[in-house]
């Protein structure tokens, strides 16, 4: 979890209830999620300022590759509970007068703060395929580096930004021309944006195919600068853009910044939405995130391959006039931690299906198999050719009766 200090309870005295520290300490943000969900792999709170959530995604991908875990939740959160950061940036003339971020624009006059939280679920691609999980995008490569000694701790370092982009491309085994769009850090400041744009021109802007510039935008023009959550916001934007085949418009750009030599490479601002054409190769996007700490991150996402076989789910014919369904056998799987919980779960499922005759039994089977936990020690499998047989199997499990449709009992493993 990427998380920065929020200022919550700043200056207040502990009321003695003993929860102040665990309720406000950044390390507990990741620890509490692991505690509540029973997760036992690496649980780490990361603060690299505005690059925190993208750093978290980078480290989560490394943990998956090294076998430290088989599934990871990664993202970031920012809550602004105190006024200090507003006052300090105002003194430095770092806040936009109208509160709006104007990324890479001539009118850029400072950032506009935002709050947010975002999380992505990561798995090794082969594992996700085996489990039948829908793959929205693939992390093709990523890299993290530091500015090191520069002209100021909080000032962006263009050469370091170039290096982190080149390292991410090398990690993905790609050339600059293989990437269509970059979701830039683009906070709308007169200092940071030109340095970032020049780094993009020097890397992605060189050697591109004729008529295929790199498109550049920033989600901060839509939601403000969400700081520790900024990177994951950019990831979510690019994943959705891939799925819909649209490169979204970046707002509040009156004209490209005159502090950038846009003729130095083939990089163009997304001042209007554009179709993201599906050519012979996969759609690919870069996501940048740079922290005031000097930590830079670049991530490359690509569209998943289309030739992946669909999850093998029993075929179900269209509903008949009486609301039943006929065709191949359908399997409903229910799992719980105890006999009582399993029986209660079966009862709730039966009530849900009875109340919604329009819901396909095949859809219910798919949802139970791939969106609900099926690995608890107490399991129930109901098999039926139509809605009536399936509901009868659930009713038998609830009442303790025997039923031909109940394959596994309410205790023990499924064979």
């Amino acid at each position: 979890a990427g998380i920065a200090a929020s200022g919550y309870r700043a200056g207040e005295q502990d009321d003695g209830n003993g929860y102040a520290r665990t309720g406000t300490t950044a390390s507990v943000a990741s620890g509490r999620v692991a505690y509540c969900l029973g997760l036992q792999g690496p649980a780490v709170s990361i603060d690299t300022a505005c690059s925190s959530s993208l750093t978290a995604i980078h480290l989560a991908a490394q943990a998956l590759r090294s076998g430290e875990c088989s599934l990871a939740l990664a993202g970031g959160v920012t809550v602004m509970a105190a006024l200090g950061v507003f006052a300090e940036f105002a003194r430095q003339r770092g806040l936009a007068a109208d509160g709006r971020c104007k990324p890479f624009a001539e009118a850029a006059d400072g950032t506009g703060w935002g709050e947010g939280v975002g999380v992505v679920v990561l798995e090794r691609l082969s594992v996700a395929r085996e489990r039948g999980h829908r793959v929205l995008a693939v992390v093709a490569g990523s890299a993290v580096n530091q500015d090191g000694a520069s002209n100021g701790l909080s000032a962006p370092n263009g050469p370091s930004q170039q290096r982190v982009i080149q390292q991410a491309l090398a990690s993905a085994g790609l050339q600059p021309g293989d990437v269509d769009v970059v979701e830039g850090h683009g906070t709308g400041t007169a200092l940071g944006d030109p340095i970032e744009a020049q780094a993009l021109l020097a890397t992605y802007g060189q050697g591109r195919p004729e008529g295929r510039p790199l498109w550049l935008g920033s989600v901060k023009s839509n939601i403000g600068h969400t700081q520790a959550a900024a990177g994951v916001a950019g990831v979510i934007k690019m994943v959705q853009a891939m799925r819909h085949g649209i490169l979204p418009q970046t707002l509040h750009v009156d004209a490209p910044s005159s502090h950038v030599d846009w003729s130095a490479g083939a990089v163009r601002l997304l001042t209007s939405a554009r179709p993201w054409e599906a050519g012979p190769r996969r759609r690919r996007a870069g996501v940048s995130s740079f922290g005031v700490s000097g930590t830079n991150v670049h991530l490359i996402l690509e569209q998943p391959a289309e030739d992946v076989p669909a999850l093998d789910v029993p075929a179900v014919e269209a509903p008949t006039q009486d609301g039943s369904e006929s065709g191949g056998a359908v399997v409903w799987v229910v799992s719980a931690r105890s006999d009582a919980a399993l029986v209660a779960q079966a009862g709730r499922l039966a009530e849900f299906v009875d109340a919604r005759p329009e819901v396909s039994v095949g859809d219910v089977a798919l949802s139970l198999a791939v969106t609900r936990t099926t690995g608890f020690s107490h399991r129930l499998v109901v098999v039926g050719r139509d809605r009536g047989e399936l509901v009868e199997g659930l009713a038998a499990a609830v009442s303790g009766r025997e039923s031909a449709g109940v394959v596994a009992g309410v205790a023990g493993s499924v064979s």
Side-chain angles (χ1 to χ4, degrees), residues 121-394:
V121 181
L122 302 173
E123 288 179 295
R124 293 179 68 96
L125 183 59
S126 59
V127 173
R129 298 303 192 197
E130 289 171 4
R131 293 173 175 172
H133 293 167
R134 182 173 52 166
V135 178
L136 302 182
V138 176
V139 179
S142 62
V144 173
N145 76 1
Q146 234 294 323
D147 283 344
S150 63
N151 64 338
L153 170 65
S154 60
N157 186 319
S160 287
Q161 292 183 14
Q162 292 181 40
R163 284 192 292 270
V164 81
I165 291 169
Q166 292 162 348
Q167 291 161 357
L169 285 168
S171 168
L174 297 173
Q175 297 299 316
D178 296 325
V179 176
D180 306 311
V181 60
V182 163
E183 169 64 18
H185 188 59
T187 60
T189 62
L191 172 64
D193 285 9
I195 293 174
E196 179 180 3
Q198 292 295 168
L200 292 169
L201 286 159
T203 51
Y204 282 114
Q206 306 303 309
R208 300 188 66 83
E210 185 68 27
R212 283 193 48 231
L214 177 85
W215 293 102
L216 173 61
S218 174
V219 73
K220 294 176 182 66
S221 71
N222 303 92
I223 63 174
H225 187 1
T226 53
Q227 302 155 80
V232 71
V235 168
I236 292 169
K237 172 187 170 181
M238 286 294 97
V239 170
Q240 292 296 85
M242 275 184 196
R243 296 179 66 198
H244 294 282
I246 296 175
L247 296 172
Q249 176 186 5
T250 293
L251 307 180
H252 317 308
V253 178
D254 57 337
S257 172
S258 61
H259 299 292
V260 177
D261 180 7
W262 296 100
S263 67
V267 176
R268 302 291 180 267
L269 288 181
L270 282 163
T271 54
S272 61
R274 298 179 54 88
W276 195 347
E277 302 294 347
R281 57 181 182 77
R282 305 181 198 178
R283 297 182 178 110
R284 294 191 180 95
V287 182
S288 285
S289 202
F290 309 127
V292 72
S293 63
T295 299
N296 309 306
V297 192
H298 193 73
L299 188 79
I300 297 175
L301 302 171
E302 70 180 17
Q303 187 179 21
E306 296 180 356
D307 57 349
V308 178
L311 184 66
D312 186 15
V313 180
V316 179
E317 296 180 3
T320 60
Q321 290 184 349
D322 63 0
S324 63
E325 300 182 50
S326 60
V330 178
V331 179
W332 285 356
V333 182
V334 183
S335 175
R337 288 190 173 96
S338 67
D339 289 351
L342 188 65
V343 169
Q345 181 80 334
R348 287 193 297 272
L349 178 59
E351 291 176 3
F352 175 88
V353 175
D354 276 341
R356 295 168 177 81
E358 74 280 2
V359 174
S360 162
V361 296
D363 288 345
V364 173
L366 178 62
S367 296
L368 290 171
V370 303
T371 69
R372 303 298 296 268
T373 299
T374 58
F376 292 135
S377 58
H378 296 259
R379 306 175 192 175
L380 171 70
V381 178
V382 178
V383 181
R385 291 168 296 179
D386 56 34
R387 182 182 302 266
E389 289 186 359
L390 290 160
V391 173
E392 169 61 23
L394 291 173

Side-chain angles (χ1 to χ4, degrees), residues 15-41:
D15 57 11
N17 61 18
Y19 297 110
R21 180 160 297 279
T22 56
T24 59
T25 302
S27 62
V28 179
S30 57
R32 192 181 299 281
V33 173
Y35 170 79
C36 291
L37 299 181
L39 309 179
Q40 296 182 328

